[in-house]
Amino acid sequence: MTDTEQTPQHVDVEWLSEHLGDPQLRVLDATVHLSFDQHGAHVESGRAAYEREHVPGAAFVDLIGGLSDPEGEAPFAAAPSERFAQVLGEAGVGDDSHVVVYDSVNGIWATRLWWQLGLEGFDRVSVLDGGLAAWRAAGLDTSAGVETYPAATFTARRRPERIRSTAEVEAVVEAGEEPGVLLINALGRDDFARGHIPGSVNVPFAELVDAEGRLRPVEELRELFASVGALDAGRRPVTYCGGGIAATAAALALAELGRNDVAVYDGSMNAWTADPARPLES
């Protein structure tokens, strides 16, 4: 891909299979395992799953251990720019790379890495539509073990307009219905009904993809987002979810519709509900 070509938000397995040998291509597995039980949420690195099976040539990037900030306002908080640049450089991503990200779960960890790359000013990134499941379904070979790319220099240029803090979201809520901002909750409809930030609308991330985990056609996405006012040019979407992960899937879908002004509330409900004084609607 040349500099004059626009990097697609998504690529399919056929495209990736044909381009695996491209010298500038960097394929990154961003798998994380998230589970819930009576004790709450549990997060496990997807490194072991990657070592069992991955797209040939892909390197693994640890979103939890490497790209989250343990001192952030909530779990999964985006790592500082310096840390992000170090981890991506060690993974072989340079300023001229074309990165393709995927995961082997439900796609939202791949979109999380897509969003973090964009947050740091890097746009040459695509999400593998359908992830590892689509790669397997196409009958393509996979690899095991650990693979790496030569280390590179990644330059982070953070775009602060793409991330929102709890204080900033509080200001929106306290101001009442603000015509310039639209809060979009990306959790399931039942979760949304149980409690959400006042003034929010709901676009569940699970409704953005089909049964195989591939992004729905643009026409269907447009209808879904238009129905809640998310395509109104006078309102800037701010997406959120439970922990800032599924919110990035909504941000990516909106980018497919030409909304490149989306911000993600990184702390999401984890941060919002940390103070019981903050209001919830149900």
Side-chain angles (χ1 to χ4, degrees), residues 32 103-110 205 209 213 245 249:
V32 175
D103 66 49
S104 59
V105 191
N106 56 8
I108 60 176
W109 301 100
F205 79 90
V209 296
I245 309 301

Side-chain angles (χ1 to χ4, degrees), residues 6-263:
Q6 182 177 4
T7 304
Q9 307 285 357
H10 285 82
V11 295
D12 58 27
V13 295
E14 292 78 15
W15 185 96
L16 182 56
S17 178
E18 292 172 2
H19 289 81
L20 277 183
D22 289 3
Q24 290 183 314
L25 186 69
R26 298 292 182 264
V27 184
L28 302 180
D29 185 315
T31 300
V32 175
H33 298 290
L34 177 64
S35 60
F36 299 88
D37 60 21
Q38 66 271 26
H39 302 295
H42 304 276
V43 176
E44 179 184 353
S45 169
R47 185 178 297 277
Y50 159 82
E51 292 184 10
R52 286 193 299 271
E53 185 179 31
H54 57 261
V55 172
F60 180 77
V61 172
D62 189 345
L63 285 179
I64 304 303
L67 297 182
S68 294
D69 182 4
E71 298 181 0
E73 65 174 3
F76 315 128
S81 296
E82 297 78 8
R83 173 64 176 164
F84 187 88
Q86 176 187 349
V87 171
L88 268 291
E90 290 172 353
V93 178
D95 295 341
D96 294 328
S97 300
H98 176 199
V99 178
V100 173
V101 297
Y102 76 90
D103 66 49
S104 59
V105 191
N106 56 8
I108 60 176
W109 301 100
T111 62
R112 175 69 181 186
L113 183 50
W114 166 86
W115 173 74
Q116 285 193 256
L117 282 158
L119 175 66
E120 301 301 346
F122 186 90
D123 293 323
R124 293 172 60 85
V125 53
S126 310
V127 172
L128 177 61
D129 202 17
L132 186 63
W135 185 268
R136 287 198 215 99
L140 296 166
D141 292 338
T142 58
S143 296
V146 175
E147 298 188 73
T148 60
Y149 296 104
T153 299
F154 181 94
T155 305
R157 301 179 178 89
R158 177 156 292 202
R159 294 163 165 151
E161 70 275 10
R162 295 200 178 189
I163 190 169
R164 287 291 173 267
S165 67
T166 297
E168 290 170 318
V169 175
E170 278 185 310
V172 171
V173 173
E174 290 171 1
E177 184 175 349
E178 185 176 334
V181 176
L182 180 65
L183 295 172
I184 302 174
N185 183 306
L187 294 173
R189 297 194 182 275
D190 289 344
D191 289 326
F192 179 78
R194 279 191 288 269
H196 54 268
I197 299 173
S200 303
V201 297
N202 187 208
V203 180
F205 79 90
E207 297 182 17
L208 303 175
V209 296
D210 62 19
E212 284 73 45
R214 294 180 175 87
L215 194 69
R216 291 191 179 279
V218 169
E219 296 76 15
E220 295 180 18
L221 296 176
R222 182 173 292 112
E223 181 178 355
L224 188 60
F225 283 105
S227 69
V228 298
L231 302 185
D232 183 347
R235 304 191 75 180
R236 181 177 185 186
V238 175
T239 63
Y240 75 96
C241 55
I245 309 301
T248 63
L252 177 59
L254 282 163
E256 286 283 11
L257 299 175
R259 295 298 309 244
N260 296 314
D261 58 344
V262 181

